Amino acid sequence: MHAGVGRQVTLLGSLPMADSALLDQMVSIAKGNAHVALIAKAMVGSAARGAVMRADGSFQADRLNEVISLQGLKDYAAGGLPVTFTLVAKGTEYRLALDRDQDGILDTEEVDRSLNPADPSTPVSRTACGAEGSSCVVNGKAVVRFGQGTRWHYAVQEGTVSCSVLTFGDPGGSAGTRACEIVAPQTAASQQKSAQNRLAQSQPSLVRRAATSTRAWWEPQRQAHGSTLAKLY
């Protein structure tokens, strides 16, 4: 583990020179580092908000289309809003700052949808987009996860993404067999289809009986009324 992990500074009001120097050092450590990431946390009203520093030095917030600059975070602190910056191990920043239940939907996005950001059972869709060592192409911006089985690291990505430990950190598992997947909230239609599929898998005999009883009801009618009724089915 990198020696800088756990280093922390909270900004509030005017920025003391020592705190400013420490934050600059933390930013420098995290930039381009495969082992360390920098996160920012703050309470905005009654809402806990988080952000992760991106490669360009700006911060991805816990709402997909929100990005804030480092200076913007400093301005919040200068205005009386405490902002805490922490160096964390690469691969943990997403869970710690953006998506506590790691279901692929950012915390504030879930609040916006009247969902529970601590409930990992929120239905999502996952689309394979690249094997380890290849590239994953993201249209716009999306949550992408890298790993295999039960071992995954998540990140908000856009454009062409390298499916690699350098990008996501090491989630464990067998190197060379891991992959990238794009994660997105399920639509109402896909949720209904998933529920139907789960029902069919868990209660196949019930589904078969229902189908049989339906055929038993209308098949004699088809035979009795011939082609006229056939057009209805």
Side-chain angles (χ1 to χ4, degrees):
M1 183 179 293
H2 192 281
V5 170
R7 188 171 296 183
Q8 187 175 84
V9 62
T10 297
L11 306 186
L12 178 61
S14 59
L15 190 59
M17 188 174 297
D19 288 349
S20 179
L22 176 56
L23 179 57
D24 288 345
Q25 184 183 33
M26 292 165 65
V27 168
S28 178
I29 290 172
K31 274 190 174 179
N33 196 312
H35 306 287
V36 179
L38 181 62
I39 67 172
K41 301 276 284 185
M43 290 297 298
V44 181
S46 60
R49 299 298 307 271
V52 173
M53 192 179 78
R54 310 194 310 172
D56 64 1
S58 63
F59 283 74
Q60 169 64 51
D62 55 2
R63 186 180 278 123
L64 194 62
N65 291 318
E66 283 186 5
V67 176
I68 187 169
S69 67
L70 177 60
Q71 185 58 52
L73 291 170
K74 289 180 178 179
D75 290 344
Y76 274 122
L81 178 72
V83 181
T84 299
F85 295 84
T86 309
L87 284 175
V88 300
K90 184 76 171 179
T92 66
E93 70 275 18
Y94 177 86
R95 174 178 59 82
L96 293 173
L98 302 182
D99 181 11
R100 73 189 78 169
D101 59 10
Q102 292 195 112
D103 60 0
I105 308 176
L106 304 189
D107 287 342
T108 301
E109 296 272 346
E110 293 206 82
V111 173
D112 292 344
R113 297 165 182 263
S114 299
L115 299 172
N116 181 359
D119 178 8
S121 65
T122 303
V124 296
S125 63
R126 301 185 182 96
T127 305
C129 66
E132 184 171 7
S134 68
S135 295
C136 166
V137 178
V138 179
N139 293 321
K141 184 187 288 187
V143 173
V144 180
R145 70 177 193 170
F146 169 73
Q148 63 180 173
T150 59
R151 296 171 176 265
W152 298 90
H153 279 177
Y154 292 70
V156 175
Q157 300 287 355
E158 53 189 320
T160 301
V161 181
S162 173
C163 293
S164 66
V165 170
L166 182 62
T167 303
F168 293 88
D170 189 350
S174 301
T177 63
R178 297 168 292 199
C180 281
E181 295 180 345
I182 297 174
V183 186
Q186 279 193 359
T187 63
S190 60
Q191 287 185 40
Q192 182 179 18
K193 185 175 181 180
S194 295
Q196 291 171 342
N197 290 339
R198 287 195 298 272
L199 176 63
Q201 292 168 4
S202 63
Q203 297 179 301
S205 60
L206 177 61
V207 174
R208 284 197 298 270
R209 286 199 301 273
T212 301
S213 63
T214 301
R215 286 196 299 273
W217 177 81
W218 64 261
E219 192 63 38
Q221 310 302 317
R222 182 194 295 272
Q223 294 170 0
H225 296 280
S227 60
T228 300
L229 191 62
K231 294 178 181 178
L232 301 177
Y233 296 95

PDB file of all heavy atoms in Angstrom, residues 96-137:
ATOM      1  N   LEU A  96     -16.060   4.750  -1.852  1.00  0.00           N
ATOM      2  CA  LEU A  96     -15.956   5.690  -0.739  1.00  0.00           C
ATOM      3  C   LEU A  96     -16.567   7.055  -1.048  1.00  0.00           C
ATOM      4  O   LEU A  96     -17.062   7.732  -0.138  1.00  0.00           O
ATOM      5  CB  LEU A  96     -14.487   5.863  -0.343  1.00  0.00           C
ATOM      6  CG  LEU A  96     -13.821   4.628   0.275  1.00  0.00           C
ATOM      7  CD1 LEU A  96     -12.323   4.871   0.464  1.00  0.00           C
ATOM      8  CD2 LEU A  96     -14.470   4.282   1.612  1.00  0.00           C
ATOM      9  N   ALA A  97     -16.550   7.460  -2.315  1.00  0.00           N
ATOM     10  CA  ALA A  97     -16.994   8.818  -2.635  1.00  0.00           C
ATOM     11  C   ALA A  97     -18.215   8.895  -3.540  1.00  0.00           C
ATOM     12  O   ALA A  97     -18.953   9.884  -3.487  1.00  0.00           O
ATOM     13  CB  ALA A  97     -15.847   9.593  -3.292  1.00  0.00           C
ATOM     14  N   LEU A  98     -18.444   7.875  -4.371  1.00  0.00           N
ATOM     15  CA  LEU A  98     -19.474   8.018  -5.397  1.00  0.00           C
ATOM     16  C   LEU A  98     -20.650   7.058  -5.270  1.00  0.00           C
ATOM     17  O   LEU A  98     -21.784   7.422  -5.577  1.00  0.00           O
ATOM     18  CB  LEU A  98     -18.846   7.830  -6.796  1.00  0.00           C
ATOM     19  CG  LEU A  98     -17.704   8.766  -7.178  1.00  0.00           C
ATOM     20  CD1 LEU A  98     -17.256   8.473  -8.604  1.00  0.00           C
ATOM     21  CD2 LEU A  98     -18.107  10.220  -7.023  1.00  0.00           C
ATOM     22  N   ASP A  99     -20.396   5.841  -4.850  1.00  0.00           N
ATOM     23  CA  ASP A  99     -21.445   4.808  -4.911  1.00  0.00           C
ATOM     24  C   ASP A  99     -21.221   3.807  -3.786  1.00  0.00           C
ATOM     25  O   ASP A  99     -20.580   2.782  -3.970  1.00  0.00           O
ATOM     26  CB  ASP A  99     -21.396   4.121  -6.283  1.00  0.00           C
ATOM     27  CG  ASP A  99     -22.455   3.046  -6.455  1.00  0.00           C
ATOM     28  OD1 ASP A  99     -23.367   2.955  -5.611  1.00  0.00           O
ATOM     29  OD2 ASP A  99     -22.364   2.295  -7.440  1.00  0.00           O
ATOM     30  N   ARG A 100     -21.775   4.109  -2.622  1.00  0.00           N
ATOM     31  CA  ARG A 100     -21.445   3.328  -1.425  1.00  0.00           C
ATOM     32  C   ARG A 100     -21.855   1.858  -1.527  1.00  0.00           C
ATOM     33  O   ARG A 100     -21.213   0.997  -0.932  1.00  0.00           O
ATOM     34  CB  ARG A 100     -22.091   3.963  -0.190  1.00  0.00           C
ATOM     35  CG  ARG A 100     -23.598   3.789  -0.089  1.00  0.00           C
ATOM     36  CD  ARG A 100     -24.214   4.606   1.007  1.00  0.00           C
ATOM     37  NE  ARG A 100     -24.352   6.001   0.604  1.00  0.00           N
ATOM     38  CZ  ARG A 100     -25.063   6.888   1.294  1.00  0.00           C
ATOM     39  NH1 ARG A 100     -25.655   6.545   2.413  1.00  0.00           N
ATOM     40  NH2 ARG A 100     -25.171   8.129   0.864  1.00  0.00           N
ATOM     41  N   ASP A 101     -22.947   1.561  -2.266  1.00  0.00           N
ATOM     42  CA  ASP A 101     -23.381   0.164  -2.360  1.00  0.00           C
ATOM     43  C   ASP A 101     -22.852  -0.533  -3.609  1.00  0.00           C
ATOM     44  O   ASP A 101     -23.126  -1.714  -3.834  1.00  0.00           O
ATOM     45  CB  ASP A 101     -24.910   0.049  -2.300  1.00  0.00           C
ATOM     46  CG  ASP A 101     -25.607   0.831  -3.408  1.00  0.00           C
ATOM     47  OD1 ASP A 101     -24.919   1.315  -4.334  1.00  0.00           O
ATOM     48  OD2 ASP A 101     -26.841   0.961  -3.350  1.00  0.00           O
ATOM     49  N   GLN A 102     -22.102   0.187  -4.425  1.00  0.00           N
ATOM     50  CA  GLN A 102     -21.479  -0.358  -5.637  1.00  0.00           C
ATOM     51  C   GLN A 102     -22.469  -1.135  -6.508  1.00  0.00           C
ATOM     52  O   GLN A 102     -22.173  -2.225  -6.992  1.00  0.00           O
ATOM     53  CB  GLN A 102     -20.278  -1.243  -5.280  1.00  0.00           C
ATOM     54  CG  GLN A 102     -19.116  -0.485  -4.689  1.00  0.00           C
ATOM     55  CD  GLN A 102     -17.830  -1.274  -4.679  1.00  0.00           C
ATOM     56  OE1 GLN A 102     -16.890  -0.966  -5.388  1.00  0.00           O
ATOM     57  NE2 GLN A 102     -17.767  -2.304  -3.869  1.00  0.00           N
ATOM     58  N   ASP A 103     -23.639  -0.534  -6.716  1.00  0.00           N
ATOM     59  CA  ASP A 103     -24.599  -1.166  -7.620  1.00  0.00           C
ATOM     60  C   ASP A 103     -24.506  -0.592  -9.027  1.00  0.00           C
ATOM     61  O   ASP A 103     -25.227  -1.018  -9.930  1.00  0.00           O
ATOM     62  CB  ASP A 103     -26.027  -1.035  -7.086  1.00  0.00           C
ATOM     63  CG  ASP A 103     -26.471   0.421  -6.908  1.00  0.00           C
ATOM     64  OD1 ASP A 103     -25.668   1.337  -7.196  1.00  0.00           O
ATOM     65  OD2 ASP A 103     -27.616   0.640  -6.464  1.00  0.00           O
ATOM     66  N   GLY A 104     -23.614   0.385  -9.221  1.00  0.00           N
ATOM     67  CA  GLY A 104     -23.438   0.965 -10.543  1.00  0.00           C
ATOM     68  C   GLY A 104     -24.240   2.225 -10.777  1.00  0.00           C
ATOM     69  O   GLY A 104     -24.161   2.824 -11.849  1.00  0.00           O
ATOM     70  N   ILE A 105     -25.022   2.651  -9.773  1.00  0.00           N
ATOM     71  CA  ILE A 105     -25.765   3.908  -9.862  1.00  0.00           C
ATOM     72  C   ILE A 105     -25.224   4.833  -8.776  1.00  0.00           C
ATOM     73  O   ILE A 105     -25.217   4.473  -7.596  1.00  0.00           O
ATOM     74  CB  ILE A 105     -27.276   3.699  -9.670  1.00  0.00           C
ATOM     75  CG1 ILE A 105     -27.795   2.612 -10.615  1.00  0.00           C
ATOM     76  CG2 ILE A 105     -28.027   5.008  -9.928  1.00  0.00           C
ATOM     77  CD1 ILE A 105     -29.256   2.279 -10.414  1.00  0.00           C
ATOM     78  N   LEU A 106     -24.764   6.002  -9.158  1.00  0.00           N
ATOM     79  CA  LEU A 106     -24.129   6.906  -8.203  1.00  0.00           C
ATOM     80  C   LEU A 106     -25.115   7.333  -7.120  1.00  0.00           C
ATOM     81  O   LEU A 106     -26.326   7.402  -7.335  1.00  0.00           O
ATOM     82  CB  LEU A 106     -23.567   8.127  -8.925  1.00  0.00           C
ATOM     83  CG  LEU A 106     -22.586   7.841 -10.070  1.00  0.00           C
ATOM     84  CD1 LEU A 106     -21.945   9.134 -10.556  1.00  0.00           C
ATOM     85  CD2 LEU A 106     -21.516   6.846  -9.656  1.00  0.00           C
ATOM     86  N   ASP A 107     -24.574   7.627  -5.937  1.00  0.00           N
ATOM     87  CA  ASP A 107     -25.408   7.885  -4.759  1.00  0.00           C
ATOM     88  C   ASP A 107     -26.465   8.961  -4.990  1.00  0.00           C
ATOM     89  O   ASP A 107     -27.651   8.759  -4.700  1.00  0.00           O
ATOM     90  CB  ASP A 107     -24.523   8.292  -3.571  1.00  0.00           C
ATOM     91  CG  ASP A 107     -23.743   7.113  -3.007  1.00  0.00           C
ATOM     92  OD1 ASP A 107     -24.126   5.960  -3.280  1.00  0.00           O
ATOM     93  OD2 ASP A 107     -22.750   7.350  -2.301  1.00  0.00           O
ATOM     94  N   THR A 108     -26.058  10.124  -5.480  1.00  0.00           N
ATOM     95  CA  THR A 108     -27.022  11.204  -5.652  1.00  0.00           C
ATOM     96  C   THR A 108     -27.974  10.922  -6.805  1.00  0.00           C
ATOM     97  O   THR A 108     -29.120  11.373  -6.798  1.00  0.00           O
ATOM     98  CB  THR A 108     -26.295  12.553  -5.843  1.00  0.00           C
ATOM     99  OG1 THR A 108     -25.469  12.792  -4.691  1.00  0.00           O
ATOM    100  CG2 THR A 108     -27.268  13.706  -5.962  1.00  0.00           C
ATOM    101  N   GLU A 109     -27.519  10.150  -7.792  1.00  0.00           N
ATOM    102  CA  GLU A 109     -28.427   9.706  -8.856  1.00  0.00           C
ATOM    103  C   GLU A 109     -29.556   8.862  -8.255  1.00  0.00           C
ATOM    104  O   GLU A 109     -30.720   8.978  -8.656  1.00  0.00           O
ATOM    105  CB  GLU A 109     -27.661   8.869  -9.889  1.00  0.00           C
ATOM    106  CG  GLU A 109     -26.575   9.608 -10.640  1.00  0.00           C
ATOM    107  CD  GLU A 109     -27.086  10.295 -11.886  1.00  0.00           C
ATOM    108  OE1 GLU A 109     -28.205   9.998 -12.324  1.00  0.00           O
ATOM    109  OE2 GLU A 109     -26.351  11.147 -12.422  1.00  0.00           O
ATOM    110  N   GLU A 110     -29.207   8.011  -7.293  1.00  0.00           N
ATOM    111  CA  GLU A 110     -30.232   7.180  -6.655  1.00  0.00           C
ATOM    112  C   GLU A 110     -31.194   8.031  -5.832  1.00  0.00           C
ATOM    113  O   GLU A 110     -32.406   7.798  -5.837  1.00  0.00           O
ATOM    114  CB  GLU A 110     -29.577   6.106  -5.780  1.00  0.00           C
ATOM    115  CG  GLU A 110     -28.796   5.073  -6.573  1.00  0.00           C
ATOM    116  CD  GLU A 110     -28.689   3.739  -5.871  1.00  0.00           C
ATOM    117  OE1 GLU A 110     -29.648   2.944  -5.951  1.00  0.00           O
ATOM    118  OE2 GLU A 110     -27.645   3.483  -5.246  1.00  0.00           O
ATOM    119  N   VAL A 111     -30.664   9.018  -5.123  1.00  0.00           N
ATOM    120  CA  VAL A 111     -31.532   9.923  -4.360  1.00  0.00           C
ATOM    121  C   VAL A 111     -32.478  10.653  -5.310  1.00  0.00           C
ATOM    122  O   VAL A 111     -33.675  10.800  -5.032  1.00  0.00           O
ATOM    123  CB  VAL A 111     -30.689  10.927  -3.550  1.00  0.00           C
ATOM    124  CG1 VAL A 111     -31.585  11.981  -2.905  1.00  0.00           C
ATOM    125  CG2 VAL A 111     -29.877  10.202  -2.478  1.00  0.00           C
ATOM    126  N   ASP A 112     -31.951  11.087  -6.454  1.00  0.00           N
ATOM    127  CA  ASP A 112     -32.781  11.772  -7.454  1.00  0.00           C
ATOM    128  C   ASP A 112     -33.923  10.880  -7.937  1.00  0.00           C
ATOM    129  O   ASP A 112     -34.992  11.372  -8.309  1.00  0.00           O
ATOM    130  CB  ASP A 112     -31.932  12.191  -8.661  1.00  0.00           C
ATOM    131  CG  ASP A 112     -30.933  13.289  -8.332  1.00  0.00           C
ATOM    132  OD1 ASP A 112     -31.089  13.942  -7.283  1.00  0.00           O
ATOM    133  OD2 ASP A 112     -29.990  13.485  -9.127  1.00  0.00           O
ATOM    134  N   ARG A 113     -33.682   9.566  -7.957  1.00  0.00           N
ATOM    135  CA  ARG A 113     -34.687   8.609  -8.433  1.00  0.00           C
ATOM    136  C   ARG A 113     -35.541   8.054  -7.290  1.00  0.00           C
ATOM    137  O   ARG A 113     -36.279   7.089  -7.479  1.00  0.00           O
ATOM    138  CB  ARG A 113     -33.994   7.442  -9.144  1.00  0.00           C
ATOM    139  CG  ARG A 113     -33.229   7.825 -10.401  1.00  0.00           C
ATOM    140  CD  ARG A 113     -32.294   6.694 -10.831  1.00  0.00           C
ATOM    141  NE  ARG A 113     -31.514   7.047 -12.004  1.00  0.00           N
ATOM    142  CZ  ARG A 113     -31.834   6.713 -13.248  1.00  0.00           C
ATOM    143  NH1 ARG A 113     -32.923   6.002 -13.470  1.00  0.00           N
ATOM    144  NH2 ARG A 113     -31.089   7.076 -14.263  1.00  0.00           N
ATOM    145  N   SER A 114     -35.392   8.635  -6.101  1.00  0.00           N
ATOM    146  CA  SER A 114     -36.107   8.167  -4.899  1.00  0.00           C
ATOM    147  C   SER A 114     -35.746   6.722  -4.563  1.00  0.00           C
ATOM    148  O   SER A 114     -36.576   5.945  -4.096  1.00  0.00           O
ATOM    149  CB  SER A 114     -37.631   8.304  -5.082  1.00  0.00           C
ATOM    150  OG  SER A 114     -37.984   9.652  -5.282  1.00  0.00           O
ATOM    151  N   LEU A 115     -34.485   6.366  -4.803  1.00  0.00           N
ATOM    152  CA  LEU A 115     -33.974   5.044  -4.464  1.00  0.00           C
ATOM    153  C   LEU A 115     -33.057   5.162  -3.250  1.00  0.00           C
ATOM    154  O   LEU A 115     -32.638   6.256  -2.867  1.00  0.00           O
ATOM    155  CB  LEU A 115     -33.202   4.450  -5.645  1.00  0.00           C
ATOM    156  CG  LEU A 115     -33.992   4.244  -6.940  1.00  0.00           C
ATOM    157  CD1 LEU A 115     -33.059   3.840  -8.075  1.00  0.00           C
ATOM    158  CD2 LEU A 115     -35.082   3.193  -6.749  1.00  0.00           C
ATOM    159  N   ASN A 116     -32.734   4.031  -2.660  1.00  0.00           N
ATOM    160  CA  ASN A 116     -31.869   3.997  -1.484  1.00  0.00           C
ATOM    161  C   ASN A 116     -30.421   3.794  -1.925  1.00  0.00           C
ATOM    162  O   ASN A 116     -30.081   2.727  -2.443  1.00  0.00           O
ATOM    163  CB  ASN A 116     -32.310   2.857  -0.562  1.00  0.00           C
ATOM    164  CG  ASN A 116     -31.471   2.772   0.701  1.00  0.00           C
ATOM    165  OD1 ASN A 116     -30.534   3.549   0.897  1.00  0.00           O
ATOM    166  ND2 ASN A 116     -31.796   1.825   1.559  1.00  0.00           N
ATOM    167  N   PRO A 117     -29.546   4.781  -1.719  1.00  0.00           N
ATOM    168  CA  PRO A 117     -28.155   4.629  -2.161  1.00  0.00           C
ATOM    169  C   PRO A 117     -27.360   3.600  -1.372  1.00  0.00           C
ATOM    170  O   PRO A 117     -26.216   3.311  -1.718  1.00  0.00           O
ATOM    171  CB  PRO A 117     -27.575   6.039  -1.971  1.00  0.00           C
ATOM    172  CG  PRO A 117     -28.435   6.679  -0.943  1.00  0.00           C
ATOM    173  CD  PRO A 117     -29.807   6.113  -1.135  1.00  0.00           C
ATOM    174  N   ALA A 118     -27.965   3.047  -0.325  1.00  0.00           N
ATOM    175  CA  ALA A 118     -27.291   2.001   0.452  1.00  0.00           C
ATOM    176  C   ALA A 118     -27.843   0.613   0.136  1.00  0.00           C
ATOM    177  O   ALA A 118     -27.460  -0.365   0.771  1.00  0.00           O
ATOM    178  CB  ALA A 118     -27.432   2.284   1.946  1.00  0.00           C
ATOM    179  N   ASP A 119     -28.725   0.524  -0.861  1.00  0.00           N
ATOM    180  CA  ASP A 119     -29.335  -0.758  -1.227  1.00  0.00           C
ATOM    181  C   ASP A 119     -28.719  -1.264  -2.531  1.00  0.00           C
ATOM    182  O   ASP A 119     -28.988  -0.718  -3.599  1.00  0.00           O
ATOM    183  CB  ASP A 119     -30.846  -0.590  -1.391  1.00  0.00           C
ATOM    184  CG  ASP A 119     -31.540  -1.880  -1.816  1.00  0.00           C
ATOM    185  OD1 ASP A 119     -30.871  -2.933  -1.842  1.00  0.00           O
ATOM    186  OD2 ASP A 119     -32.745  -1.833  -2.120  1.00  0.00           O
ATOM    187  N   PRO A 120     -27.894  -2.313  -2.478  1.00  0.00           N
ATOM    188  CA  PRO A 120     -27.209  -2.790  -3.686  1.00  0.00           C
ATOM    189  C   PRO A 120     -28.088  -3.605  -4.627  1.00  0.00           C
ATOM    190  O   PRO A 120     -27.616  -4.058  -5.666  1.00  0.00           O
ATOM    191  CB  PRO A 120     -26.087  -3.667  -3.114  1.00  0.00           C
ATOM    192  CG  PRO A 120     -26.641  -4.180  -1.828  1.00  0.00           C
ATOM    193  CD  PRO A 120     -27.490  -3.061  -1.277  1.00  0.00           C
ATOM    194  N   SER A 121     -29.369  -3.782  -4.277  1.00  0.00           N
ATOM    195  CA  SER A 121     -30.233  -4.630  -5.104  1.00  0.00           C
ATOM    196  C   SER A 121     -30.951  -3.863  -6.210  1.00  0.00           C
ATOM    197  O   SER A 121     -31.782  -4.434  -6.917  1.00  0.00           O
ATOM    198  CB  SER A 121     -31.272  -5.338  -4.226  1.00  0.00           C
ATOM    199  OG  SER A 121     -32.163  -4.401  -3.637  1.00  0.00           O
ATOM    200  N   THR A 122     -30.653  -2.574  -6.375  1.00  0.00           N
ATOM    201  CA  THR A 122     -31.280  -1.803  -7.446  1.00  0.00           C
ATOM    202  C   THR A 122     -30.987  -2.459  -8.800  1.00  0.00           C
ATOM    203  O   THR A 122     -29.830  -2.734  -9.115  1.00  0.00           O
ATOM    204  CB  THR A 122     -30.743  -0.360  -7.457  1.00  0.00           C
ATOM    205  OG1 THR A 122     -30.972   0.232  -6.175  1.00  0.00           O
ATOM    206  CG2 THR A 122     -31.444   0.466  -8.526  1.00  0.00           C
ATOM    207  N   PRO A 123     -32.018  -2.726  -9.614  1.00  0.00           N
ATOM    208  CA  PRO A 123     -31.791  -3.414 -10.900  1.00  0.00           C
ATOM    209  C   PRO A 123     -30.948  -2.570 -11.852  1.00  0.00           C
ATOM    210  O   PRO A 123     -31.209  -1.381 -12.039  1.00  0.00           O
ATOM    211  CB  PRO A 123     -33.211  -3.604 -11.452  1.00  0.00           C
ATOM    212  CG  PRO A 123     -34.120  -3.467 -10.282  1.00  0.00           C
ATOM    213  CD  PRO A 123     -33.452  -2.488  -9.367  1.00  0.00           C
ATOM    214  N   VAL A 124     -29.933  -3.187 -12.429  1.00  0.00           N
ATOM    215  CA  VAL A 124     -29.091  -2.518 -13.421  1.00  0.00           C
ATOM    216  C   VAL A 124     -28.864  -3.460 -14.598  1.00  0.00           C
ATOM    217  O   VAL A 124     -29.053  -4.672 -14.490  1.00  0.00           O
ATOM    218  CB  VAL A 124     -27.722  -2.099 -12.832  1.00  0.00           C
ATOM    219  CG1 VAL A 124     -27.892  -1.073 -11.725  1.00  0.00           C
ATOM    220  CG2 VAL A 124     -26.949  -3.311 -12.321  1.00  0.00           C
ATOM    221  N   SER A 125     -28.461  -2.887 -15.716  1.00  0.00           N
ATOM    222  CA  SER A 125     -28.044  -3.693 -16.860  1.00  0.00           C
ATOM    223  C   SER A 125     -26.532  -3.603 -16.986  1.00  0.00           C
ATOM    224  O   SER A 125     -25.932  -2.586 -16.643  1.00  0.00           O
ATOM    225  CB  SER A 125     -28.707  -3.190 -18.144  1.00  0.00           C
ATOM    226  OG  SER A 125     -28.287  -1.866 -18.429  1.00  0.00           O
ATOM    227  N   ARG A 126     -25.914  -4.670 -17.442  1.00  0.00           N
ATOM    228  CA  ARG A 126     -24.459  -4.701 -17.619  1.00  0.00           C
ATOM    229  C   ARG A 126     -24.148  -5.185 -19.030  1.00  0.00           C
ATOM    230  O   ARG A 126     -24.630  -6.234 -19.450  1.00  0.00           O
ATOM    231  CB  ARG A 126     -23.809  -5.614 -16.580  1.00  0.00           C
ATOM    232  CG  ARG A 126     -24.088  -5.192 -15.137  1.00  0.00           C
ATOM    233  CD  ARG A 126     -23.332  -6.060 -14.142  1.00  0.00           C
ATOM    234  NE  ARG A 126     -23.640  -5.686 -12.772  1.00  0.00           N
ATOM    235  CZ  ARG A 126     -24.553  -6.287 -12.021  1.00  0.00           C
ATOM    236  NH1 ARG A 126     -25.240  -7.312 -12.519  1.00  0.00           N
ATOM    237  NH2 ARG A 126     -24.781  -5.889 -10.791  1.00  0.00           N
ATOM    238  N   THR A 127     -23.334  -4.405 -19.736  1.00  0.00           N
ATOM    239  CA  THR A 127     -23.004  -4.723 -21.120  1.00  0.00           C
ATOM    240  C   THR A 127     -21.498  -4.891 -21.261  1.00  0.00           C
ATOM    241  O   THR A 127     -20.736  -3.968 -20.945  1.00  0.00           O
ATOM    242  CB  THR A 127     -23.479  -3.595 -22.059  1.00  0.00           C
ATOM    243  OG1 THR A 127     -24.876  -3.361 -21.851  1.00  0.00           O
ATOM    244  CG2 THR A 127     -23.230  -3.968 -23.506  1.00  0.00           C
ATOM    245  N   ALA A 128     -21.061  -6.057 -21.705  1.00  0.00           N
ATOM    246  CA  ALA A 128     -19.632  -6.301 -21.904  1.00  0.00           C
ATOM    247  C   ALA A 128     -19.093  -5.338 -22.956  1.00  0.00           C
ATOM    248  O   ALA A 128     -19.723  -5.116 -23.991  1.00  0.00           O
ATOM    249  CB  ALA A 128     -19.409  -7.742 -22.343  1.00  0.00           C
ATOM    250  N   CYS A 129     -17.927  -4.757 -22.681  1.00  0.00           N
ATOM    251  CA  CYS A 129     -17.401  -3.778 -23.647  1.00  0.00           C
ATOM    252  C   CYS A 129     -15.914  -3.951 -23.923  1.00  0.00           C
ATOM    253  O   CYS A 129     -15.339  -3.170 -24.681  1.00  0.00           O
ATOM    254  CB  CYS A 129     -17.682  -2.354 -23.169  1.00  0.00           C
ATOM    255  SG  CYS A 129     -16.807  -1.882 -21.671  1.00  0.00           S
ATOM    256  N   GLY A 130     -15.269  -4.941 -23.333  1.00  0.00           N
ATOM    257  CA  GLY A 130     -13.860  -5.140 -23.649  1.00  0.00           C
ATOM    258  C   GLY A 130     -13.187  -6.109 -22.702  1.00  0.00           C
ATOM    259  O   GLY A 130     -13.484  -6.121 -21.503  1.00  0.00           O
ATOM    260  N   ALA A 131     -12.291  -6.921 -23.231  1.00  0.00           N
ATOM    261  CA  ALA A 131     -11.509  -7.841 -22.407  1.00  0.00           C
ATOM    262  C   ALA A 131     -10.311  -7.107 -21.818  1.00  0.00           C
ATOM    263  O   ALA A 131      -9.924  -6.032 -22.288  1.00  0.00           O
ATOM    264  CB  ALA A 131     -11.041  -9.021 -23.247  1.00  0.00           C
ATOM    265  N   GLU A 132      -9.735  -7.680 -20.783  1.00  0.00           N
ATOM    266  CA  GLU A 132      -8.557  -7.076 -20.156  1.00  0.00           C
ATOM    267  C   GLU A 132      -7.451  -6.884 -21.190  1.00  0.00           C
ATOM    268  O   GLU A 132      -7.158  -7.768 -21.990  1.00  0.00           O
ATOM    269  CB  GLU A 132      -8.057  -7.958 -19.017  1.00  0.00           C
ATOM    270  CG  GLU A 132      -6.887  -7.358 -18.258  1.00  0.00           C
ATOM    271  CD  GLU A 132      -6.533  -8.120 -16.993  1.00  0.00           C
ATOM    272  OE1 GLU A 132      -7.124  -9.204 -16.759  1.00  0.00           O
ATOM    273  OE2 GLU A 132      -5.674  -7.636 -16.237  1.00  0.00           O
ATOM    274  N   GLY A 133      -6.875  -5.697 -21.186  1.00  0.00           N
ATOM    275  CA  GLY A 133      -5.821  -5.382 -22.137  1.00  0.00           C
ATOM    276  C   GLY A 133      -6.322  -4.727 -23.406  1.00  0.00           C
ATOM    277  O   GLY A 133      -5.525  -4.230 -24.209  1.00  0.00           O
ATOM    278  N   SER A 134      -7.647  -4.713 -23.593  1.00  0.00           N
ATOM    279  CA  SER A 134      -8.223  -4.061 -24.767  1.00  0.00           C
ATOM    280  C   SER A 134      -8.864  -2.738 -24.342  1.00  0.00           C
ATOM    281  O   SER A 134      -8.683  -2.282 -23.213  1.00  0.00           O
ATOM    282  CB  SER A 134      -9.265  -4.970 -25.425  1.00  0.00           C
ATOM    283  OG  SER A 134     -10.403  -5.124 -24.588  1.00  0.00           O
ATOM    284  N   SER A 135      -9.614  -2.144 -25.245  1.00  0.00           N
ATOM    285  CA  SER A 135     -10.273  -0.871 -24.961  1.00  0.00           C
ATOM    286  C   SER A 135     -11.783  -1.042 -24.908  1.00  0.00           C
ATOM    287  O   SER A 135     -12.350  -1.861 -25.626  1.00  0.00           O
ATOM    288  CB  SER A 135      -9.917   0.170 -26.028  1.00  0.00           C
ATOM    289  OG  SER A 135      -8.541   0.470 -25.991  1.00  0.00           O
ATOM    290  N   CYS A 136     -12.406  -0.253 -24.062  1.00  0.00           N
ATOM    291  CA  CYS A 136     -13.865  -0.191 -23.959  1.00  0.00           C
ATOM    292  C   CYS A 136     -14.285   1.194 -24.431  1.00  0.00           C
ATOM    293  O   CYS A 136     -13.766   2.202 -23.943  1.00  0.00           O
ATOM    294  CB  CYS A 136     -14.293  -0.426 -22.508  1.00  0.00           C
ATOM    295  SG  CYS A 136     -16.015   0.001 -22.143  1.00  0.00           S
ATOM    296  N   VAL A 137     -15.200   1.251 -25.375  1.00  0.00           N
ATOM    297  CA  VAL A 137     -15.657   2.537 -25.905  1.00  0.00           C
ATOM    298  C   VAL A 137     -16.985   2.905 -25.245  1.00  0.00           C
ATOM    299  O   VAL A 137     -17.960   2.160 -25.333  1.00  0.00           O
ATOM    300  CB  VAL A 137     -15.823   2.486 -27.435  1.00  0.00           C
ATOM    301  CG1 VAL A 137     -16.344   3.822 -27.954  1.00  0.00           C
ATOM    302  CG2 VAL A 137     -14.491   2.146 -28.093  1.00  0.00           C
TER     303      VAL A 137
END
